[in-house]
Amino acid sequence: MRLQGGETPLAGLMVIDRRRLSDERGYLSRLFCQDELAAFGWHGPIMQINETGTVHKGTVRGMHFQRPPHAEIKLVTCTRGRILDVAVDLREGSPTVLKHFAIELSEENGCSLLIPKGFAHGFQALTDDVRLIYAHSEPYAAGAEGGLHPQDPALAIDWPLPVERLSARDAAHPFLTPGYLGVAA
């Protein structure tokens, strides 16, 4: 069983197709293989694995990132329901800075998103009762945490459902202004 990856318009951001082995009993899906993922940009061990559960469709979580030196690679996998997963390029000097890429991840399509260092990440639940598993290359560092407002017009994210149930923290993230994060708005 080999993982297959596909490039996106944002350099380093990869869609990972987790090919399932199926028979009459069900299936096996490899969520993580360091050797195989190295070809797609995963470097180093997994330092943390998190699971999120989101109860209501329309809920948006994000857009979160860790500032250097705690910047992290994330591998995001949806194991129940469907989400619109979004990554925003925050890399200084990148030709796609502040551009985003969005993809539907679901338990049915068997895809994951490999998000390199220098990206903000968030998602919208497209169904009720969504479950995600995140593998992180770095441990969480509260002092390095950052975020963007998911409804910032400068990001132009087209959420497919009305944005609902933003946490107080996510709703308080600022809109981009010139110089925020060292990039032009």
Side-chain angles (χ1 to χ4, degrees):
M1 175 170 50
R2 302 271 313 159
L3 298 175
Q4 297 194 5
E7 293 188 26
T8 70
L10 307 181
L13 184 67
M14 302 291 289
V15 175
I16 306 297
D17 182 0
R18 296 177 292 106
R19 301 284 168 134
R20 292 179 175 164
L21 295 177
S22 301
D23 63 21
E24 67 280 353
R25 300 168 297 164
Y27 68 87
L28 168 73
S29 178
R30 181 173 294 158
L31 294 179
F32 185 89
C33 175
Q34 186 167 323
D35 290 344
E36 291 179 4
L37 285 171
F40 305 114
W42 186 279
H43 304 290
I46 293 178
M47 297 301 289
Q48 189 170 298
I49 298 175
N50 296 320
E51 178 187 24
T52 62
T54 303
V55 176
H56 300 287
K57 75 178 182 180
T59 301
V60 170
R61 293 183 180 219
M63 304 296 297
H64 306 142
F65 60 92
Q66 293 279 110
R67 290 183 178 88
H70 303 284
E72 62 188 351
I73 303 168
K74 287 183 187 177
L75 181 65
V76 181
T77 303
C78 182
T79 59
R80 182 183 296 164
R82 295 182 307 117
I83 65 164
L84 182 72
D85 208 38
V86 180
V88 176
D89 188 350
L90 300 179
R91 300 170 296 180
E92 266 188 78
S94 169
T96 56
V97 70
L98 298 183
K99 302 293 184 210
H100 71 275
F101 176 81
I103 185 171
E104 184 175 303
L105 302 180
S106 70
E107 61 185 306
E108 289 86 17
N109 72 15
C111 291
S112 298
L113 192 62
L114 183 82
I115 304 168
K117 294 178 181 184
F119 280 73
H121 171 257
F123 70 91
Q124 182 174 51
L126 301 178
T127 60
D128 290 334
D129 196 20
V130 166
R131 297 281 186 267
L132 299 182
I133 294 177
Y134 298 78
H136 301 262
S137 66
E138 298 292 331
Y140 173 73
E145 180 179 62
L148 305 174
H149 197 290
Q151 293 179 294
D152 189 330
L155 300 177
I157 298 170
D158 185 17
W159 300 106
L161 301 173
V163 172
E164 297 182 7
R165 295 178 183 86
L166 283 179
S167 71
R169 179 183 63 143
D170 289 348
H173 289 312
F175 282 11
L176 291 170
T177 57
Y180 183 72
L181 303 174
V183 296

